[in-house]
Amino acid sequence: MVGTRMKRRVAIVGAGMTLFRRRMLETGKELSFEATKMALDSAGLTLNDVDSVVSGSAPDAFDGVHMKGEYLLDGMGAIGKPYQRVYVGGGTGVFTPAAGWWNVASGFSDVCLCVAEEKMSPLHPHPQYAFWSIFDQILERPLGVTLLWIFSLEMRRYMHKYGIKEEEIATVAVKNKGNAIDHPCSQLASKITVDDVMNSEPICWPVKRLDVSPPSDGAATVILASEKVAKKLTDQPVWLDGIGWTLDSTHWTNRDLAYPEYVEKAARMAYKMAGIKNPRKEIDIAEVYDPFDYKELHHMEGLQLAGKGEAAKMAVEGITQRDGELPVCPSGGLLGVGNPIAAAGMMKICEIFWQLRGEAGKRQVKKDARTGLAQAWGDLMQVGTVCVMRS
Amino acid sequence: MPLKIGVIGAGYAGFDSMTPGLSTRELMFEAASRAYEDAGINPRKDVQSFICCTEDFWEGISITDEYMPDQLGAVLRPLCTVSSDGLVGVATACMHIASGLADVAVVESHSKMSDVVNPSEIVSLGFDPTYTRHLDVDPNFVAGLEMSRFLKETKTRRESCATVAVKNRKNALLNPRGVYGANLTKEEVLNSHNGMAPLSELEISMPSDASIVLVLASAEKARKLAKSRTVWINGIGWSSDTPWIEDRDLSRAAYAEQSAWRAYKMAGVRSPASYFDLAEVDDTYAFKELQHLEALKLAPKGKAGRMVDAGSFDQDGRLPVNTSGGSLGVGHLIEATGLHKMLEAVLQLRGEAGRLQIPKARKALVQSWRGIPTGSGAVAVLGVN
């Protein structure tokens, strides 16, 4: 019921995702359909039960389709429904359920489908070329800037400021690609070693091939419901208790890249909403955005899960392993499962959903996880999006 | 129960066929500065959410939210892109406020179409890449098809569409924002270049540049800040028909019917045809104004054409429609179209519409459509105490 300024509790009641692969033969509409059908089936719902749809998908340039949110909406089940596409670059996948949250919490909807999709493969000769167009036409494009270039700057700065070694960072790639072996949708699951990472092809020093996640196609969907509806549908609703997002200045060249302040602010917004005062103690499990291995560490610090410059130590000590004190990326993350930009963030939401319900199979973490977090990042190293979930 | 979310500030910049002296970001900065001054707020302290409505291909940049924060005062604040018309951005702001996420939310959208060297190709890139894009025709053909079907199904006279074009271009002459104000005759409109028959060139809105910023607030906050000038959003709805042009019933604007149904329900509007004092509805193509008026139940089916010919929708008519001049008169503002319509309605309801002022304007309808090739749109019901 709209208009009474209420904040209703919102739960995730179903989830689904496709395989993540370098090139899927399905169209973006079909990928969306597969993930959404799976989510609806898992919750015992049909489109008739859905009040609204939110979609998340990153650059239209991948598909070469203008207003691609419109193009995709039939595959997302949105015909005849209130439909909105939200878009914050790489942060989109975790922002999509946040948008679902406000559709339901506001009273505008009782059941909201949140569909994240990405099809990067259409872009030739390589999806990375889409990222050429994210840069300022006058000040940056003439430099031939790429994402790999600017992230290597960030990685270098982070390593330099806190004295972190490449080998320490490489342990994250080893962990996540290994974790991904147990994820049925994973694209790049493999048992590798730190030496493998160190010997892999240099892309843009210090970034090497095995430090980076791949371009991918895929889709993932969650279904959000109001408390009343959620309790009717399932004994195990996963409450979306906190959402947060923050965007930093366009002028990334003027910022100290060593610390993601915008991730901290996004996290604090979500923690405040969820009533979390000591994240390091209260967060049991975290899906932290890992398009590059150093990013998992960088973001853990922004999320207040590690002190500044201290995440590497936690990784090396095994604290972030599945059987560790604070499992990070038990799914295998972007490094292992794949990185279809928006769908990758949503994959993390799905993972926390399944983990908090004890449905993560071989990936299930050892500890009794009750409170989980998913985080994504993107733009010009600029945006943090965070969701806090509870069983 | 009415939504009762307040519009406490409005600002804009541009409104010209081209704005070479200002970059997009400078246009936004000017619009935002004016909106914040109008609302009496400091964006660094008083705003909890910033929402921008943009599409990458119009901006010539991927991930356009990257380029939004600084000029809006949103650095290190929650800002996001909603890839839709500005009215859906307004709906998003309403959901932020209604859910308690924000007390004050800012919505921005803009058009810098003068920077776009190949607008027709960009629209074509919105077509289905497998089934439609290869046709390699001026995308306005979709409007031509739709107009043909609409005229047939509703038995609307072709000439009535020309009346819309004449009305809106003439209205724009009194609007300081009326980029394309002109005194046309129906004959001139009907005889203009006929590439997409039955649609003629003077029935197609031309692009213009502008940035528009609205500041929304909860009722509580609005009462503290804006006192008597608040315009209330009492109902809002948005909807999407199928993206497949081939599957659509081209005689109807289903998105407008569905959006209106939701907005009217929320606002408690039972007899739309007699409820409103003014309406700003989409007129991207002249016939769309008539189609939308019928979809919104502001005119009975098949009657909008006769009503516009009779002067019912003139500024001094029974229900002034697009007194601002609409997109035909002010210029098409792509994603900012819905925000422009809200701006004009807000000015009317505040009594600040100058030569355009409709006396005793208390209740307004605002409607937008995302344009070809979409079947998406939104509706808002506005009112003052």
Side-chain angles (χ1 to χ4, degrees):
Chain A
M1 195 187 69
V2 163
T4 53
R5 206 74 213 293
M6 51 209 283
K7 193 191 281 182
R8 312 195 301 171
R9 212 173 177 204
V10 180
I12 303 176
V13 297
M17 61 182 283
T18 66
L19 300 178
F20 285 2
R21 290 288 182 273
R22 173 65 178 85
R23 194 172 287 103
M24 295 282 268
L25 295 181
E26 287 79 3
T27 64
K29 293 174 193 265
E30 288 168 330
L31 291 172
S32 303
F33 170 78
E34 295 293 344
T36 303
K37 181 87 171 62
M38 190 176 156
L40 284 169
D41 289 347
S42 79
L45 294 172
T46 69
L47 282 182
N48 284 339
D49 303 308
V50 172
D51 299 314
S52 61
V53 179
V54 175
S55 80
S57 194
D60 300 32
F62 290 136
D63 314 64
V65 176
H66 172 48
M67 295 199 279
K68 76 153 141 170
E70 299 289 329
Y71 165 71
L72 291 170
L73 72 88
D74 58 333
M76 295 179 168
I79 296 178
K81 298 193 194 289
Y83 168 79
Q84 62 176 164
R85 171 188 172 200
V86 294
Y87 179 15
V88 284
T92 301
V94 170
F95 192 59
T96 306
W101 182 90
W102 70 61
N103 270 264
V104 178
S106 62
F108 276 64
S109 290
D110 279 328
V111 178
C112 181
L113 269 184
C114 306
V115 188
E117 172 277 356
E118 210 71 61
K119 195 162 169 70
M120 299 172 71
S121 60
L123 186 60
H124 292 280
H126 191 281
Q128 272 298 320
Y129 282 90
F131 295 113
W132 169 82
S133 59
I134 73 172
F135 292 102
D136 183 282
Q137 293 99 327
I138 298 168
L139 297 175
E140 286 160 15
R141 281 194 215 175
L143 298 172
V145 192
T146 70
L147 271 192
L148 292 163
W149 204 87
I150 66 170
F151 297 165
S152 71
L153 284 179
E154 189 182 64
M155 181 175 176
R156 175 81 177 96
R157 175 69 188 146
Y158 177 60
M159 286 166 58
H160 173 81
K161 179 148 186 193
Y162 300 114
I164 300 168
K165 299 197 200 60
E166 280 175 80
E167 289 83 350
E168 294 174 308
I169 293 172
T171 63
V172 173
V174 172
K175 167 175 73 75
N176 289 0
K177 287 175 192 293
N179 282 351
I181 291 171
D182 299 317
H183 199 302
C185 306
S186 64
Q187 181 176 340
L188 280 187
S190 54
K191 230 175 157 53
I192 60 169
T193 65
V194 167
D195 278 343
D196 290 331
V197 180
M198 295 305 294
N199 293 330
S200 63
E201 177 194 344
I203 292 181
C204 188
W205 189 84
V207 173
K208 305 165 288 298
R209 180 168 292 284
L210 288 176
D211 290 316
V212 197
S213 60
S216 318
D217 294 349
T221 298
V222 292
I223 306 182
L224 266 49
S226 63
E227 182 169 5
K228 198 163 148 197
V229 173
K231 285 189 169 155
K232 281 197 202 130
L233 286 174
T234 172
D235 291 328
Q236 290 186 284
V238 171
W239 303 104
L240 182 52
D241 276 345
I243 64 170
W245 71 101
T246 297
L247 196 62
D248 205 335
S249 162
T250 304
H251 307 288
W252 61 274
T253 44
N254 296 2
R255 284 189 266 118
D256 189 335
L257 302 176
Y259 181 72
E261 195 182 346
Y262 45 89
V263 171
E264 179 184 334
K265 285 196 134 68
R268 288 197 187 285
M269 183 176 161
Y271 292 152
K272 185 165 179 221
M273 200 188 291
I276 291 190
K277 301 213 167 41
N278 188 341
R280 178 71 181 85
K281 283 208 167 72
E282 297 176 62
I283 301 291
D284 296 321
I285 177 175
E287 279 286 335
V288 174
Y289 206 63
D290 63 323
F292 290 63
D293 43 14
Y294 82 92
K295 292 293 342 183
E296 179 174 301
L297 306 176
H298 199 230
H299 290 154
M300 279 173 65
E301 295 168 15
L303 291 166
Q304 311 302 297
L305 298 177
K308 286 183 184 172
E310 295 179 1
K313 189 155 168 287
M314 283 172 71
V316 164
E317 286 176 0
I319 291 174
T320 56
Q321 296 285 344
R322 267 196 211 135
D323 57 4
E325 192 206 311
L326 174 60
V328 177
C329 295
S331 60
L334 276 51
L335 288 163
V337 184
N339 190 3
I341 310 284
M346 185 65 88
M347 176 274 290
K348 288 178 170 296
I349 297 280
C350 293
E351 183 67 12
I352 299 293
F353 173 74
W354 287 318
Q355 290 276 356
L356 294 183
R357 281 160 58 116
E359 291 173 349
K362 286 202 221 141
R363 303 185 310 284
Q364 192 66 44
V365 298
K366 278 248 137 47
K367 63 188 289 193
D368 180 25
R370 302 285 174 95
T371 305
L373 171 156
Q375 173 257 338
W377 163 85
D379 293 8
L380 298 166
M381 303 177 288
Q382 214 179 343
V383 70
T385 54
V386 178
C387 282
V388 175
M389 294 145 71
R390 280 200 182 96
S391 59
Chain B
M1 174 165 174
L3 184 58
K4 238 184 153 101
I5 286 174
V7 180
I8 62 167
Y12 58 89
F15 285 102
D16 212 335
S17 55
M18 60 176 79
T19 48
L22 295 170
S23 68
T24 303
R25 282 183 257 175
E26 286 168 325
L27 262 184
M28 290 173 63
F29 175 71
E30 189 180 322
S33 304
R34 292 178 187 282
Y36 299 152
E37 186 65 22
D38 187 48
I41 59 159
N42 175 352
R44 304 302 289 148
K45 291 196 307 198
D46 301 321
V47 179
Q48 293 79 40
S49 168
F50 298 82
I51 295 155
C52 295
C53 296
T54 55
E55 284 286 357
D56 283 359
F57 283 23
W58 287 134
E59 305 293 312
I61 273 200
S62 288
I63 316 183
T64 50
D65 69 301
E66 297 173 352
Y67 292 89
M68 303 286 110
D70 302 71
Q71 60 272 26
L72 296 179
V75 172
L76 286 174
R77 306 292 292 128
L79 182 146
C80 69
T81 292
V82 171
S83 310
S84 199
D85 173 75
L87 263 195
V88 178
V90 169
T92 304
C94 288
M95 288 190 278
H96 287 187
I97 293 168
S99 66
L101 201 55
D103 289 326
V104 179
V106 167
V107 186
E108 186 278 344
S109 190
H110 57 264
S111 160
K112 196 76 154 84
M113 284 296 281
S114 61
D115 276 355
V116 180
V117 301
N118 57 343
S120 190
E121 279 180 55
I122 305 265
V123 175
S124 295
L125 287 173
F127 285 139
D128 184 280
T130 311
Y131 295 101
T132 317
R133 193 185 299 168
H134 67 93
L135 291 173
D136 203 19
V137 202
D138 182 335
N140 286 322
F141 85 87
V142 178
L145 281 180
E146 206 180 296
M147 179 176 175
S148 194
R149 188 73 196 283
F150 168 73
L151 293 178
K152 182 173 192 290
E153 295 294 328
T154 60
K155 298 191 174 45
T156 300
R157 287 171 60 243
R158 168 88 188 72
E159 291 73 15
S160 304
C161 305
T163 309
V164 171
V166 170
K167 167 176 78 72
N168 292 357
R169 296 289 296 268
K170 188 179 167 66
N171 285 349
L173 278 171
L174 291 179
N175 187 347
R177 294 165 293 285
V179 179
Y180 297 107
N183 262 319
L184 302 175
T185 65
K186 277 166 76 164
E187 288 64 44
E188 279 176 300
V189 175
L190 292 167
N191 293 332
S192 63
H193 178 65
N194 214 327
M196 302 287 147
L199 188 64
S200 71
E201 189 171 357
L202 285 173
E203 291 172 282
I204 303 172
S205 56
M206 290 173 279
S208 63
D209 292 353
S211 169
I212 299 156
V213 174
L214 294 182
V215 183
L216 274 58
S218 65
E220 197 187 311
K221 211 54 184 203
R223 276 187 259 275
K224 275 196 205 133
L225 290 173
K227 304 182 184 63
S228 57
R229 289 170 79 240
T230 304
V231 171
W232 300 108
I233 302 169
N234 288 322
I236 192 157
W238 64 105
S239 198
S240 288
D241 196 354
T242 173
W244 296 96
I245 300 164
E246 299 85 345
D247 274 358
R248 260 181 241 153
D249 180 349
L250 291 181
S251 66
R252 296 168 54 201
Y255 52 89
E257 292 171 14
Q258 290 154 7
S259 305
W261 184 83
R262 293 183 187 122
Y264 292 163
K265 186 159 180 245
M266 201 183 282
V269 176
R270 271 181 253 286
S271 311
S274 54
Y275 180 89
F276 297 102
D277 301 311
L278 67 121
E280 290 282 327
V281 311
D282 180 270
D283 65 330
T284 300
Y285 306 94
F287 83 93
K288 291 297 276 187
E289 178 172 306
L290 303 177
Q291 184 193 50
H292 288 145
L293 288 171
E294 293 181 9
L296 297 166
K297 295 190 167 35
L298 299 181
K301 182 164 180 220
K303 295 283 191 335
R306 258 176 274 173
M307 289 172 75
V308 75
D309 287 335
S312 303
F313 304 133
D314 290 352
Q315 186 175 348
D316 58 3
R318 206 169 65 69
L319 173 64
V321 175
N322 289 335
T323 303
S324 65
S327 294
L328 286 162
V330 166
H332 197 266
L333 295 168
I334 46 171
E335 267 60 46
T337 301
L339 274 197
H340 165 247
K341 291 176 185 308
M342 269 204 71
L343 169 70
E344 298 287 351
V346 163
L347 293 174
Q348 286 281 357
L349 296 185
R350 281 180 179 180
E352 293 173 3
R355 291 293 304 278
L356 305 175
Q357 187 67 52
I358 293 151
K360 298 203 184 89
R362 309 204 74 79
K363 291 174 280 191
L365 179 94
V366 175
Q367 178 258 340
S368 68
W369 167 54
R370 280 207 86 186
I372 286 169
T374 80
S376 293
V379 169
V381 175
L382 308 181
V384 285
N385 288 335

